Amino acid sequence: MRLDNQEESKNVEDRRGGAVKTGGISIIGLVVAFVAWKFFGADPQQAYQVTKQVTSQQQPQQIQQPTAEQVASKTFVSKVLRSTEEVWTPIFQQHNMTYKTPTLVMYTGATSTACGQGQSAMGPFYCPADQKVYLDTEFFKQMKTQMGMQGGDFAYAYVIAHEVGHHVQTLLGTSSQVSKLRAQSNKVQSNLLSVRQELQADCYAGIWAKQNNDQKQFLQQGDIEKAMDAAQKIGDDYLQHQATGRVVPDSFTHGTSQQRMTWFNRGLQSGNLESCDTFSGSI
Ligand SMILES: [Zn+2]
């Protein structure tokens, strides 16, 4: 997969360790200085300086530089996210709608989301409540080491495109319709609805691959095979083994490997939304 002629998205929020600035004067420090001046007659400038020293001792000024790997993964993710924006914006326009871009949050370990605490063990996921994709790039390494995938940039990009697919479903109102239906369904029906929703996100990832390739010729030999390999292994077979209590859509079953490949391919061949109707007919 080539990304050399791809711009970067501005919608990536990096919550990882690097480039974090701490220290300086806190609000509490200023309040302490004010109180000292007001009630104890201390010279405000002096009180401020003392507070500044204390605060600095407590919170040393620290600017961690991001590692080369962090910089590279952010560039990669930003380019892939931008490619999804460039694909979905015109598709929405063609349907007289506006594509509202999602934010992609990069984090390590755990992070707070509008869908509860996000954890690496969940794998990448989309939270409809804040319209953000959450990604710990360690997952890309796990895809290789623990899930036995061939890996490769396109397989990683496909993961992002699938999560963006859930964002598209949210914008189109599909996700809320599915949620309503699931609330009225028994467990089996509910799981089936989830599978249909997940397969549609795979189909949307296929649309992204097709349209982006038409725009930028980004696909290279072997990419599709690697994505198929990923589609085969990335299902919740892996995710379901993880911690329980997951409240985001990806905690549910994604369908069989065959179904996932079929629907990804359908989007890839057609490149249009209409071909991704996973809700009527057989899957
Ligand atoms: Zn999904």
Side-chain angles (χ1 to χ4, degrees):
M1 183 178 86
R2 0 183 338 231
L3 287 172
D4 48 342
N5 57 350
Q6 181 64 60
E7 285 172 27
E8 291 179 36
S9 170
K10 292 182 173 58
N11 300 312
V12 173
E13 187 185 326
D14 198 344
R15 295 186 190 168
R16 299 172 300 174
V20 175
K21 194 181 169 194
T22 55
I25 287 295
S26 64
I27 291 291
I28 291 171
L30 288 173
V31 169
V32 169
F34 177 77
V35 170
W37 164 63
K38 195 80 181 164
F39 297 98
F40 304 105
D43 170 44
Q45 187 61 33
Q46 212 177 13
Y48 179 78
Q49 285 307 325
V50 171
T51 311
K52 193 175 174 182
Q53 274 173 13
V54 171
T55 314
S56 298
Q57 278 162 12
Q58 285 167 345
Q59 294 178 317
Q61 195 86 18
Q62 199 178 48
I63 302 170
Q64 283 181 300
Q65 291 302 321
T67 64
E69 198 184 344
Q70 282 178 326
V71 172
S73 57
K74 186 174 179 190
T75 303
F76 172 76
V77 165
S78 303
K79 286 187 170 192
V80 173
L81 187 64
R82 178 76 182 149
S83 74
T84 66
E85 293 164 356
E86 286 172 351
V87 164
W88 288 110
T89 301
I91 293 178
F92 270 62
Q93 274 167 359
Q94 283 154 24
H95 291 79
N96 298 316
M97 292 179 289
T98 305
Y99 182 65
K100 185 179 170 290
T101 53
T103 297
L104 190 151
V105 177
M106 299 180 80
Y107 72 101
T108 40
T111 196
S112 62
T113 86
C115 298
Q117 179 86 341
Q119 281 171 2
S120 300
M122 294 171 173
F125 64 93
Y126 173 75
C127 171
D130 55 21
Q131 302 200 349
K132 291 181 180 181
V133 172
Y134 290 88
L135 176 72
D136 183 338
T137 41
E138 284 296 308
F139 182 76
F140 293 154
K141 285 183 201 153
Q142 288 170 17
M143 281 171 73
K144 261 190 153 165
T145 56
Q146 293 171 24
M147 296 156 78
M149 289 183 194
Q150 298 167 28
D153 285 354
F154 185 71
Y156 306 150
Y158 159 78
V159 171
I160 295 171
H162 171 94
E163 298 307 333
V164 170
H166 287 311
H167 175 66
V168 170
Q169 291 175 318
T170 300
L171 295 183
L172 294 177
T174 314
S175 301
S176 60
Q177 278 181 317
V178 170
S179 296
K180 266 183 217 150
L181 283 171
R182 292 187 66 188
Q184 304 158 2
S185 306
N186 63 32
K187 183 108 180 108
V188 175
Q189 290 168 329
S190 175
N191 277 345
L192 181 60
L193 281 165
S194 171
V195 169
R196 289 180 185 274
Q197 189 175 3
E198 291 301 333
L199 293 176
Q200 189 175 58
D202 284 334
C203 190
Y204 288 173
I207 292 180
W208 157 80
K210 154 93 173 140
Q211 299 287 2
N212 193 37
N213 196 46
D214 286 356
Q215 287 176 13
K216 299 252 157 77
Q217 290 81 46
F218 83 123
L219 288 174
Q220 289 174 314
Q221 199 162 17
D223 280 345
I224 296 297
E225 288 75 13
K226 280 178 190 160
M228 291 286 124
D229 179 65
Q232 218 170 44
K233 290 168 184 160
I234 207 169
D236 276 349
D237 302 351
Y238 168 77
L239 297 173
Q240 278 174 357
H241 287 131
Q242 309 302 322
T244 52
R246 194 154 179 252
V247 291
V248 287
D250 280 0
S251 59
F252 310 109
T253 183
H254 281 68
T256 65
S257 306
Q258 191 55 51
Q259 285 173 322
R260 299 203 70 176
M261 291 196 291
T262 301
W263 283 98
F264 173 75
N265 248 323
R266 212 166 277 193
L268 182 68
Q269 296 305 320
S270 76
N272 67 59
L273 273 176
E274 291 69 27
S275 70
C276 293
D277 181 8
T278 54
F279 289 94
S280 41
S282 61
I283 44 173

